[in-house]
Amino acid sequence: MNLYFELLKQPVFTIENVNQYYGKIESARSAVKRLMAKGLAVKIRNNLYTCISGETDSPLANRYQIASAITPTSCVSHHSAMEYYGISDQVFYEVYVSSKERFQDFEFDGYMYHWVASKCDKGIENIEYSGGVRVTDKERTVVDSIKDMDKISGLEEVIDNIQNISRLDEKKLLAYLECYGNQFLYQKTGFLLKSYQQQLSISDQFFEICKEKIGLSKRYLTKDCHEGKYDSTSRLIIPLGINTLKNG
């Protein structure tokens, strides 16, 4: 058996994966150390490895495969998911990973991997023939991006991404909004998607539901809004320059 060629079949592997060929964990650890010493494998983080491609002399696993293997529940999310779907045309060297299990942020092969607490079990797709990629679907990616707008993406990026989406499933959107159960998220989502209602194929009923859920609270759309105008429908204070962002 040639362990290197066996491991080439899985982009990311652990010591436990290697142990299936040995049956003794110390032997598996030694085998991985030998591969690393020969430059045939590299350590990504604790107990996470990938082979080095003989064709490119680079790590075999891409950033999406790595992100999906960090924990049992990890998946590509936020603007990293937008990149995966080709919605975002910006190049980022940060990978956002939603996971129930916490992990320390780490850097590998030029990319910084950031943990985001996953508080919803819905909307995660296992992509076939992708080498194990798990990613939030487009609808949850939009909801997550809006939810964490002040922490991760920013208003301009969120609007730019929405402009690049042709259609969204409103039943999925409502399911994820319900999963989070956050009034402010209903406010922000209803407001930001309204301008693209026809483009996204979203019904009036969706926005009525959002309006019903927002309560009586008045809030700023974003923490960076210092001067704004009040939108009575969403009960949000909107930055004065938002129309410029919406028009690209």
Side-chain angles (χ1 to χ4, degrees):
M1 177 200 70
N2 188 311
L3 180 61
Y4 173 71
F5 287 111
E6 290 297 324
L7 293 176
L8 282 176
K9 299 174 184 177
Q10 45 189 334
V12 182
F13 63 88
T14 64
I15 296 296
E16 289 73 23
N17 296 141
V18 177
N19 195 40
Q20 66 179 310
Y21 303 107
Y22 292 90
K24 188 176 179 182
I25 200 71
E26 289 304 321
S27 298
R29 289 196 181 100
S30 296
V32 172
K33 288 180 181 178
R34 288 194 295 271
L35 287 177
M36 292 173 64
K38 293 177 181 179
L40 298 176
V42 64
K43 183 177 180 178
I44 299 171
R45 66 187 299 269
N46 291 339
N47 198 24
L48 207 63
Y49 305 85
T50 186
C51 288
I52 296 297
S53 169
E55 296 179 357
T56 64
D57 201 32
S58 300
L60 181 67
N62 62 43
R63 63 189 184 276
Y64 304 116
Q65 293 165 334
I66 291 171
S68 304
I70 296 172
T71 75
T73 61
S74 65
C75 65
V76 181
S77 65
H78 296 77
H79 70 212
S80 300
M82 293 291 188
E83 280 188 278
Y84 183 82
Y85 289 120
I87 294 169
S88 173
D89 55 5
Q90 298 185 57
V91 178
F92 296 100
Y93 292 94
E94 294 180 304
V95 182
Y96 283 89
V97 186
S98 289
S99 170
K100 287 184 176 181
E101 298 86 4
R102 187 184 184 93
F103 64 85
Q104 293 296 317
D105 292 358
F106 66 94
E107 187 273 337
F108 176 74
D109 198 32
Y111 290 94
M112 181 63 71
Y113 293 80
H114 297 284
W115 173 72
V116 183
S118 180
K119 298 180 180 179
C120 181
D121 295 328
K122 300 176 179 179
I124 301 172
E125 296 191 347
N126 295 284
I127 308 299
E128 285 189 304
Y129 313 115
S130 66
V133 172
R134 285 164 44 86
V135 59
T136 53
D137 65 23
K138 291 181 182 179
E139 287 78 10
R140 177 168 165 187
T141 302
V142 168
V143 172
D144 283 349
S145 296
I146 294 172
K147 178 175 70 72
D148 297 320
M149 188 167 61
D150 284 336
K151 299 177 182 178
I152 298 176
S153 300
L155 178 60
E156 183 174 0
E157 183 186 324
V158 169
I159 290 176
D160 184 61
N161 287 335
I162 292 171
Q163 289 175 337
N164 291 329
I165 298 173
S166 58
R167 186 184 182 281
L168 290 174
D169 185 327
E170 65 182 74
K171 290 182 179 179
K172 290 183 178 181
L173 290 172
L174 289 171
Y176 307 148
L177 287 169
E178 183 178 358
C179 189
Y180 288 121
N182 185 296
Q183 284 187 346
F184 189 25
L185 184 54
Y186 277 103
Q187 280 179 283
K188 292 190 291 184
T189 303
F191 174 78
L192 289 171
L193 298 189
K194 182 62 178 177
S195 296
Y196 309 98
Q197 180 177 359
Q198 287 188 320
Q199 170 190 319
L200 300 174
S201 300
I202 298 177
S203 70
D204 290 336
Q205 184 181 12
F206 172 85
F207 297 101
E208 287 299 321
I209 293 173
C210 287
K211 187 176 180 180
E212 291 170 3
K213 298 287 186 177
I214 64 177
L216 300 176
S217 299
K218 298 177 183 179
R219 299 181 174 93
Y220 286 95
L221 174 63
T222 170
K223 65 180 182 181
D224 296 325
C225 178
H226 303 295
E227 291 185 289
K229 58 183 179 180
Y230 181 63
D231 180 77
S232 58
T233 302
S234 63
R235 304 183 71 84
L236 288 170
I237 300 169
I238 312 301
L240 292 177
I242 194 168
N243 288 333
T244 303
L245 299 179
K246 287 183 178 181
N247 294 328

